[in-house]
Amino acid sequence: MSGRLTVIGLGPGDPRFLTPEAAEELGRAEFLFGYGPYLDRVALRPDQTRLASDNREEGARARAALEKAVAGAQVAMVSGGDPGVFAMAAAVCEQVESGPEAWRRLEIRIVPGVTAMLAVAAAAGAPLGHDFCAISLSDNLKPWEIVEKRLDAAASAGFVIALYNPISRARPWQLGAAFERLRAHLPAETPVIFGRAVGRDDESIVIRPLAEADPTLADMATLVMIGSPETRIIERGELPPLVYSPRFFGAKP
Amino acid sequence: MSGRLTVIGLGPGDPRFLTPEAAEELGRAEFLFGYGPYLDRVALRPDQTRLASDNREEGARARAALEKAVAGAQVAMVSGGDPGVFAMAAAVCEQVESGPEAWRRLEIRIVPGVTAMLAVAAAAGAPLGHDFCAISLSDNLKPWEIVEKRLDAAASAGFVIALYNPISRARPWQLGAAFERLRAHLPAETPVIFGRAVGRDDESIVIRPLAEADPTLADMATLVMIGSPETRIIERGELPPLVYSPRFFGAKP
């Protein structure tokens, strides 16, 4: 059998989000690469080999997986959420492009998953019901000025904004700076959703108006979503509110 | 047992994308509402009632489902892809907000799914590996000028753009106008992906440079994705190319 590399999205941290395709591909793998906490979610058989690496070693991890697959193995690379959204699928492509010719001849398959913003949106209502964008707030891979330009463009054009990688120990001020920047474009009462650990036992959804959005409400496991001027909140008494963006723009047609 | 409404994402048109949570919720339902072709994907038991409606009747469908659930039934509303992305979750919220008080007291749950852009991206490589946005090209629910403004903002700020609802019999010219507009911002060779029926037997992925992007390559079942100036194509001989957007911006850090 020829070697093969499959990049698999596990979805948010609960098996109820794992697609049958992802489960099947996990079962086919002889070697499973990934960030340790993601691999922890996979129940491995004794004949499967786990190869965990640190969060910041995507390039080296992708190269190791490609080498193993080119040598003839069935290799899986696991990713939280969807592997195509700020995750391992692009890291693998980067290595394929700059690597040896044999890596281009390899069978590579990407298995999509439920990405964090979809799970957070579902837990909060339907904030992504209208046009939206996703921005990684990490300035490890792009200059902060580019992040600012995109925040300005998205907010002023009326996109709902999902922020991935909002904050970390090494990047403590960026989320506060992003809120400050967005306040120049958006009404003070624009809903901001802090969605943490969705699908896990410690899931939490916190909603604040933009004027009171506090970066300390987020950590590395949080997806932050900022509404557009059209985004609304339906209060429901003791039930959690529904935050949603109407499908129509302005007056209902 | 109290009534309950669950809005369920089936994912793209193949059971391999259906999450365990969605499958479980489908099994709990007594009444299933939805657009006919989506309901066709669900294997109903004899004790389950199918209530299909036309594509353009989202408001009436949502009201009927809410009424049924408030009366005490276990109700499912099915959606293709993810229900929160240009789909039924927002339509339900719209009705809850404008409807009777009892609808706000109802237990409502949204079950996320793999949305079309994630499945198309996975089939093409990793075009959503960097910042991206999703725009519905339908001008039924918003003025065309708003679509133009968002295309301008997204392209000039470097977002990859996923276009939902790119074309229909009633909206034949919008996709061509969108390509024309994007050509003012983006290089002629920017990759455009036409992803059709992903996950089905007739799946097709067609890639063209923006200069040659032809709207007739799309139909109602197509998701169109336009790269950013950073998006790249890896040619792989007889294998399909990989289209991807590097995680980093500009020179590799």
Side-chain angles (χ1 to χ4, degrees), chain B residues 68-101:
Chain B
K68 189 64 97 179
V70 161
Q74 304 297 304
V75 178
M77 169 77 76
V78 303
S79 221
D82 179 86
V85 175
F86 309 121
M88 286 309 297
V92 166
C93 290
E94 287 161 20
Q95 298 304 322
V96 169
E97 188 172 20
S98 61
E101 184 63 21

PDB file of all heavy atoms in Angstrom, chain B residues 68-101:
ATOM      1  N   LYS B  68     -45.271  24.386  16.409  1.00  0.00           N
ATOM      2  CA  LYS B  68     -45.329  22.960  16.726  1.00  0.00           C
ATOM      3  C   LYS B  68     -44.573  22.667  18.029  1.00  0.00           C
ATOM      4  O   LYS B  68     -45.043  21.902  18.886  1.00  0.00           O
ATOM      5  CB  LYS B  68     -44.722  22.192  15.548  1.00  0.00           C
ATOM      6  CG  LYS B  68     -44.873  20.712  15.582  1.00  0.00           C
ATOM      7  CD  LYS B  68     -46.294  20.245  15.496  1.00  0.00           C
ATOM      8  CE  LYS B  68     -46.734  19.854  14.098  1.00  0.00           C
ATOM      9  NZ  LYS B  68     -48.154  19.370  14.129  1.00  0.00           N
ATOM     10  N   ALA B  69     -43.424  23.286  18.190  1.00  0.00           N
ATOM     11  CA  ALA B  69     -42.610  23.026  19.391  1.00  0.00           C
ATOM     12  C   ALA B  69     -43.269  23.621  20.630  1.00  0.00           C
ATOM     13  O   ALA B  69     -43.285  22.990  21.695  1.00  0.00           O
ATOM     14  CB  ALA B  69     -41.205  23.591  19.207  1.00  0.00           C
ATOM     15  N   VAL B  70     -43.825  24.815  20.509  1.00  0.00           N
ATOM     16  CA  VAL B  70     -44.498  25.443  21.649  1.00  0.00           C
ATOM     17  C   VAL B  70     -45.705  24.604  22.082  1.00  0.00           C
ATOM     18  O   VAL B  70     -46.047  24.556  23.271  1.00  0.00           O
ATOM     19  CB  VAL B  70     -44.902  26.901  21.299  1.00  0.00           C
ATOM     20  CG1 VAL B  70     -45.974  27.405  22.240  1.00  0.00           C
ATOM     21  CG2 VAL B  70     -43.673  27.810  21.373  1.00  0.00           C
ATOM     22  N   ALA B  71     -46.293  23.901  21.129  1.00  0.00           N
ATOM     23  CA  ALA B  71     -47.430  23.029  21.461  1.00  0.00           C
ATOM     24  C   ALA B  71     -46.985  21.743  22.154  1.00  0.00           C
ATOM     25  O   ALA B  71     -47.816  20.909  22.516  1.00  0.00           O
ATOM     26  CB  ALA B  71     -48.215  22.698  20.183  1.00  0.00           C
ATOM     27  N   GLY B  72     -45.668  21.553  22.296  1.00  0.00           N
ATOM     28  CA  GLY B  72     -45.194  20.420  23.090  1.00  0.00           C
ATOM     29  C   GLY B  72     -44.424  19.358  22.323  1.00  0.00           C
ATOM     30  O   GLY B  72     -44.013  18.351  22.898  1.00  0.00           O
ATOM     31  N   ALA B  73     -44.196  19.571  21.028  1.00  0.00           N
ATOM     32  CA  ALA B  73     -43.552  18.531  20.214  1.00  0.00           C
ATOM     33  C   ALA B  73     -42.030  18.666  20.200  1.00  0.00           C
ATOM     34  O   ALA B  73     -41.483  19.725  20.474  1.00  0.00           O
ATOM     35  CB  ALA B  73     -44.088  18.583  18.786  1.00  0.00           C
ATOM     36  N   GLN B  74     -41.375  17.551  19.889  1.00  0.00           N
ATOM     37  CA  GLN B  74     -39.932  17.543  19.632  1.00  0.00           C
ATOM     38  C   GLN B  74     -39.749  17.821  18.145  1.00  0.00           C
ATOM     39  O   GLN B  74     -40.093  16.993  17.301  1.00  0.00           O
ATOM     40  CB  GLN B  74     -39.338  16.175  19.987  1.00  0.00           C
ATOM     41  CG  GLN B  74     -39.622  15.737  21.422  1.00  0.00           C
ATOM     42  CD  GLN B  74     -38.998  16.689  22.419  1.00  0.00           C
ATOM     43  OE1 GLN B  74     -37.801  16.937  22.386  1.00  0.00           O
ATOM     44  NE2 GLN B  74     -39.821  17.246  23.306  1.00  0.00           N
ATOM     45  N   VAL B  75     -39.215  18.979  17.844  1.00  0.00           N
ATOM     46  CA  VAL B  75     -39.177  19.446  16.458  1.00  0.00           C
ATOM     47  C   VAL B  75     -37.746  19.648  15.998  1.00  0.00           C
ATOM     48  O   VAL B  75     -36.931  20.235  16.721  1.00  0.00           O
ATOM     49  CB  VAL B  75     -39.960  20.770  16.306  1.00  0.00           C
ATOM     50  CG1 VAL B  75     -39.878  21.284  14.873  1.00  0.00           C
ATOM     51  CG2 VAL B  75     -41.404  20.580  16.746  1.00  0.00           C
ATOM     52  N   ALA B  76     -37.441  19.183  14.790  1.00  0.00           N
ATOM     53  CA  ALA B  76     -36.141  19.452  14.174  1.00  0.00           C
ATOM     54  C   ALA B  76     -36.344  20.281  12.917  1.00  0.00           C
ATOM     55  O   ALA B  76     -37.298  20.068  12.165  1.00  0.00           O
ATOM     56  CB  ALA B  76     -35.432  18.150  13.814  1.00  0.00           C
ATOM     57  N   MET B  77     -35.447  21.231  12.738  1.00  0.00           N
ATOM     58  CA  MET B  77     -35.398  22.002  11.490  1.00  0.00           C
ATOM     59  C   MET B  77     -34.061  21.658  10.862  1.00  0.00           C
ATOM     60  O   MET B  77     -33.013  21.881  11.483  1.00  0.00           O
ATOM     61  CB  MET B  77     -35.457  23.479  11.848  1.00  0.00           C
ATOM     62  CG  MET B  77     -35.169  24.410  10.714  1.00  0.00           C
ATOM     63  SD  MET B  77     -36.592  24.519   9.630  1.00  0.00           S
ATOM     64  CE  MET B  77     -37.655  25.581  10.619  1.00  0.00           C
ATOM     65  N   VAL B  78     -34.080  21.073   9.652  1.00  0.00           N
ATOM     66  CA  VAL B  78     -32.798  20.683   9.061  1.00  0.00           C
ATOM     67  C   VAL B  78     -32.315  21.723   8.058  1.00  0.00           C
ATOM     68  O   VAL B  78     -33.094  22.419   7.419  1.00  0.00           O
ATOM     69  CB  VAL B  78     -32.843  19.288   8.392  1.00  0.00           C
ATOM     70  CG1 VAL B  78     -33.282  18.235   9.385  1.00  0.00           C
ATOM     71  CG2 VAL B  78     -33.715  19.304   7.155  1.00  0.00           C
ATOM     72  N   SER B  79     -31.016  21.820   7.977  1.00  0.00           N
ATOM     73  CA  SER B  79     -30.352  22.790   7.121  1.00  0.00           C
ATOM     74  C   SER B  79     -29.175  22.062   6.458  1.00  0.00           C
ATOM     75  O   SER B  79     -28.553  21.204   7.077  1.00  0.00           O
ATOM     76  CB  SER B  79     -29.804  23.895   8.036  1.00  0.00           C
ATOM     77  OG  SER B  79     -29.975  25.180   7.505  1.00  0.00           O
ATOM     78  N   GLY B  80     -28.857  22.396   5.222  1.00  0.00           N
ATOM     79  CA  GLY B  80     -27.609  21.877   4.645  1.00  0.00           C
ATOM     80  C   GLY B  80     -26.440  22.576   5.298  1.00  0.00           C
ATOM     81  O   GLY B  80     -26.590  23.653   5.879  1.00  0.00           O
ATOM     82  N   GLY B  81     -25.259  22.006   5.248  1.00  0.00           N
ATOM     83  CA  GLY B  81     -24.066  22.668   5.789  1.00  0.00           C
ATOM     84  C   GLY B  81     -24.207  22.981   7.257  1.00  0.00           C
ATOM     85  O   GLY B  81     -24.564  22.123   8.069  1.00  0.00           O
ATOM     86  N   ASP B  82     -23.937  24.223   7.619  1.00  0.00           N
ATOM     87  CA  ASP B  82     -24.099  24.689   8.998  1.00  0.00           C
ATOM     88  C   ASP B  82     -25.327  25.587   9.051  1.00  0.00           C
ATOM     89  O   ASP B  82     -25.468  26.475   8.218  1.00  0.00           O
ATOM     90  CB  ASP B  82     -22.856  25.482   9.418  1.00  0.00           C
ATOM     91  CG  ASP B  82     -22.991  26.013  10.832  1.00  0.00           C
ATOM     92  OD1 ASP B  82     -22.663  25.278  11.779  1.00  0.00           O
ATOM     93  OD2 ASP B  82     -23.452  27.166  11.006  1.00  0.00           O
ATOM     94  N   PRO B  83     -26.209  25.389  10.040  1.00  0.00           N
ATOM     95  CA  PRO B  83     -27.456  26.164  10.049  1.00  0.00           C
ATOM     96  C   PRO B  83     -27.244  27.641  10.378  1.00  0.00           C
ATOM     97  O   PRO B  83     -28.120  28.467  10.155  1.00  0.00           O
ATOM     98  CB  PRO B  83     -28.286  25.487  11.150  1.00  0.00           C
ATOM     99  CG  PRO B  83     -27.281  24.850  12.049  1.00  0.00           C
ATOM    100  CD  PRO B  83     -26.131  24.447  11.160  1.00  0.00           C
ATOM    101  N   GLY B  84     -26.055  27.965  10.912  1.00  0.00           N
ATOM    102  CA  GLY B  84     -25.778  29.346  11.308  1.00  0.00           C
ATOM    103  C   GLY B  84     -25.209  30.202  10.194  1.00  0.00           C
ATOM    104  O   GLY B  84     -25.071  31.417  10.357  1.00  0.00           O
ATOM    105  N   VAL B  85     -24.848  29.586   9.073  1.00  0.00           N
ATOM    106  CA  VAL B  85     -24.213  30.330   7.974  1.00  0.00           C
ATOM    107  C   VAL B  85     -25.230  30.505   6.847  1.00  0.00           C
ATOM    108  O   VAL B  85     -25.510  29.571   6.101  1.00  0.00           O
ATOM    109  CB  VAL B  85     -22.949  29.591   7.484  1.00  0.00           C
ATOM    110  CG1 VAL B  85     -22.349  30.292   6.273  1.00  0.00           C
ATOM    111  CG2 VAL B  85     -21.927  29.509   8.613  1.00  0.00           C
ATOM    112  N   PHE B  86     -25.801  31.692   6.756  1.00  0.00           N
ATOM    113  CA  PHE B  86     -26.780  32.023   5.712  1.00  0.00           C
ATOM    114  C   PHE B  86     -27.883  30.973   5.654  1.00  0.00           C
ATOM    115  O   PHE B  86     -28.282  30.555   4.567  1.00  0.00           O
ATOM    116  CB  PHE B  86     -26.100  32.140   4.336  1.00  0.00           C
ATOM    117  CG  PHE B  86     -24.902  33.040   4.332  1.00  0.00           C
ATOM    118  CD1 PHE B  86     -23.649  32.589   3.973  1.00  0.00           C
ATOM    119  CD2 PHE B  86     -25.028  34.372   4.713  1.00  0.00           C
ATOM    120  CE1 PHE B  86     -22.550  33.431   3.973  1.00  0.00           C
ATOM    121  CE2 PHE B  86     -23.923  35.225   4.720  1.00  0.00           C
ATOM    122  CZ  PHE B  86     -22.684  34.745   4.345  1.00  0.00           C
ATOM    123  N   ALA B  87     -28.368  30.549   6.815  1.00  0.00           N
ATOM    124  CA  ALA B  87     -29.326  29.436   6.788  1.00  0.00           C
ATOM    125  C   ALA B  87     -30.377  29.578   7.881  1.00  0.00           C
ATOM    126  O   ALA B  87     -30.679  30.691   8.337  1.00  0.00           O
ATOM    127  CB  ALA B  87     -28.570  28.110   6.875  1.00  0.00           C
ATOM    128  N   MET B  88     -30.943  28.471   8.317  1.00  0.00           N
ATOM    129  CA  MET B  88     -32.169  28.517   9.102  1.00  0.00           C
ATOM    130  C   MET B  88     -32.028  29.053  10.525  1.00  0.00           C
ATOM    131  O   MET B  88     -33.013  29.479  11.121  1.00  0.00           O
ATOM    132  CB  MET B  88     -32.828  27.134   9.129  1.00  0.00           C
ATOM    133  CG  MET B  88     -33.506  26.723   7.828  1.00  0.00           C
ATOM    134  SD  MET B  88     -34.676  27.950   7.139  1.00  0.00           S
ATOM    135  CE  MET B  88     -35.909  28.026   8.447  1.00  0.00           C
ATOM    136  N   ALA B  89     -30.848  29.012  11.127  1.00  0.00           N
ATOM    137  CA  ALA B  89     -30.754  29.462  12.521  1.00  0.00           C
ATOM    138  C   ALA B  89     -31.143  30.940  12.640  1.00  0.00           C
ATOM    139  O   ALA B  89     -31.892  31.329  13.541  1.00  0.00           O
ATOM    140  CB  ALA B  89     -29.348  29.215  13.072  1.00  0.00           C
ATOM    141  N   ALA B  90     -30.640  31.776  11.721  1.00  0.00           N
ATOM    142  CA  ALA B  90     -31.004  33.191  11.775  1.00  0.00           C
ATOM    143  C   ALA B  90     -32.480  33.387  11.441  1.00  0.00           C
ATOM    144  O   ALA B  90     -33.157  34.230  12.039  1.00  0.00           O
ATOM    145  CB  ALA B  90     -30.124  34.012  10.827  1.00  0.00           C
ATOM    146  N   ALA B  91     -32.999  32.591  10.510  1.00  0.00           N
ATOM    147  CA  ALA B  91     -34.419  32.708  10.158  1.00  0.00           C
ATOM    148  C   ALA B  91     -35.295  32.391  11.366  1.00  0.00           C
ATOM    149  O   ALA B  91     -36.319  33.048  11.596  1.00  0.00           O
ATOM    150  CB  ALA B  91     -34.745  31.769   8.986  1.00  0.00           C
ATOM    151  N   VAL B  92     -34.906  31.401  12.168  1.00  0.00           N
ATOM    152  CA  VAL B  92     -35.659  31.074  13.387  1.00  0.00           C
ATOM    153  C   VAL B  92     -35.561  32.230  14.388  1.00  0.00           C
ATOM    154  O   VAL B  92     -36.564  32.650  14.982  1.00  0.00           O
ATOM    155  CB  VAL B  92     -35.151  29.748  14.004  1.00  0.00           C
ATOM    156  CG1 VAL B  92     -35.664  29.572  15.430  1.00  0.00           C
ATOM    157  CG2 VAL B  92     -35.565  28.569  13.129  1.00  0.00           C
ATOM    158  N   CYS B  93     -34.353  32.762  14.565  1.00  0.00           N
ATOM    159  CA  CYS B  93     -34.193  33.880  15.518  1.00  0.00           C
ATOM    160  C   CYS B  93     -35.041  35.079  15.110  1.00  0.00           C
ATOM    161  O   CYS B  93     -35.635  35.747  15.962  1.00  0.00           O
ATOM    162  CB  CYS B  93     -32.717  34.273  15.627  1.00  0.00           C
ATOM    163  SG  CYS B  93     -31.680  33.057  16.477  1.00  0.00           S
ATOM    164  N   GLU B  94     -35.088  35.369  13.823  1.00  0.00           N
ATOM    165  CA  GLU B  94     -35.907  36.491  13.343  1.00  0.00           C
ATOM    166  C   GLU B  94     -37.363  36.318  13.781  1.00  0.00           C
ATOM    167  O   GLU B  94     -38.013  37.258  14.245  1.00  0.00           O
ATOM    168  CB  GLU B  94     -35.856  36.575  11.808  1.00  0.00           C
ATOM    169  CG  GLU B  94     -34.536  37.099  11.247  1.00  0.00           C
ATOM    170  CD  GLU B  94     -34.331  36.752   9.767  1.00  0.00           C
ATOM    171  OE1 GLU B  94     -35.335  36.458   9.082  1.00  0.00           O
ATOM    172  OE2 GLU B  94     -33.172  36.754   9.329  1.00  0.00           O
ATOM    173  N   GLN B  95     -37.860  35.085  13.642  1.00  0.00           N
ATOM    174  CA  GLN B  95     -39.259  34.836  14.002  1.00  0.00           C
ATOM    175  C   GLN B  95     -39.464  34.874  15.517  1.00  0.00           C
ATOM    176  O   GLN B  95     -40.476  35.357  16.000  1.00  0.00           O
ATOM    177  CB  GLN B  95     -39.735  33.502  13.422  1.00  0.00           C
ATOM    178  CG  GLN B  95     -39.692  33.439  11.902  1.00  0.00           C
ATOM    179  CD  GLN B  95     -40.488  34.550  11.238  1.00  0.00           C
ATOM    180  OE1 GLN B  95     -41.564  34.938  11.716  1.00  0.00           O
ATOM    181  NE2 GLN B  95     -39.966  35.090  10.141  1.00  0.00           N
ATOM    182  N   VAL B  96     -38.494  34.366  16.254  1.00  0.00           N
ATOM    183  CA  VAL B  96     -38.607  34.408  17.724  1.00  0.00           C
ATOM    184  C   VAL B  96     -38.696  35.855  18.180  1.00  0.00           C
ATOM    185  O   VAL B  96     -39.514  36.208  19.042  1.00  0.00           O
ATOM    186  CB  VAL B  96     -37.398  33.713  18.391  1.00  0.00           C
ATOM    187  CG1 VAL B  96     -37.367  33.994  19.887  1.00  0.00           C
ATOM    188  CG2 VAL B  96     -37.443  32.204  18.140  1.00  0.00           C
ATOM    189  N   GLU B  97     -37.863  36.713  17.589  1.00  0.00           N
ATOM    190  CA  GLU B  97     -37.851  38.108  18.039  1.00  0.00           C
ATOM    191  C   GLU B  97     -39.175  38.815  17.762  1.00  0.00           C
ATOM    192  O   GLU B  97     -39.634  39.618  18.573  1.00  0.00           O
ATOM    193  CB  GLU B  97     -36.698  38.881  17.375  1.00  0.00           C
ATOM    194  CG  GLU B  97     -36.569  40.274  17.986  1.00  0.00           C
ATOM    195  CD  GLU B  97     -35.330  41.033  17.522  1.00  0.00           C
ATOM    196  OE1 GLU B  97     -34.761  40.677  16.477  1.00  0.00           O
ATOM    197  OE2 GLU B  97     -34.962  41.993  18.218  1.00  0.00           O
ATOM    198  N   SER B  98     -39.780  38.503  16.602  1.00  0.00           N
ATOM    199  CA  SER B  98     -41.003  39.227  16.242  1.00  0.00           C
ATOM    200  C   SER B  98     -42.262  38.469  16.640  1.00  0.00           C
ATOM    201  O   SER B  98     -43.369  38.984  16.464  1.00  0.00           O
ATOM    202  CB  SER B  98     -41.009  39.519  14.736  1.00  0.00           C
ATOM    203  OG  SER B  98     -40.989  38.299  14.014  1.00  0.00           O
ATOM    204  N   GLY B  99     -42.123  37.277  17.189  1.00  0.00           N
ATOM    205  CA  GLY B  99     -43.287  36.441  17.469  1.00  0.00           C
ATOM    206  C   GLY B  99     -43.813  36.591  18.890  1.00  0.00           C
ATOM    207  O   GLY B  99     -43.356  37.445  19.649  1.00  0.00           O
ATOM    208  N   PRO B 100     -44.761  35.738  19.257  1.00  0.00           N
ATOM    209  CA  PRO B 100     -45.367  35.801  20.592  1.00  0.00           C
ATOM    210  C   PRO B 100     -44.350  35.469  21.697  1.00  0.00           C
ATOM    211  O   PRO B 100     -43.375  34.763  21.462  1.00  0.00           O
ATOM    212  CB  PRO B 100     -46.472  34.740  20.540  1.00  0.00           C
ATOM    213  CG  PRO B 100     -46.167  33.888  19.361  1.00  0.00           C
ATOM    214  CD  PRO B 100     -45.376  34.717  18.407  1.00  0.00           C
ATOM    215  N   GLU B 101     -44.637  35.990  22.877  1.00  0.00           N
ATOM    216  CA  GLU B 101     -43.765  35.798  24.041  1.00  0.00           C
ATOM    217  C   GLU B 101     -43.428  34.321  24.285  1.00  0.00           C
ATOM    218  O   GLU B 101     -42.292  33.985  24.677  1.00  0.00           O
ATOM    219  CB  GLU B 101     -44.470  36.411  25.268  1.00  0.00           C
ATOM    220  CG  GLU B 101     -43.687  36.384  26.549  1.00  0.00           C
ATOM    221  CD  GLU B 101     -42.407  37.206  26.501  1.00  0.00           C
ATOM    222  OE1 GLU B 101     -42.289  38.116  25.651  1.00  0.00           O
ATOM    223  OE2 GLU B 101     -41.498  36.899  27.305  1.00  0.00           O
TER     224      GLU B 101
END
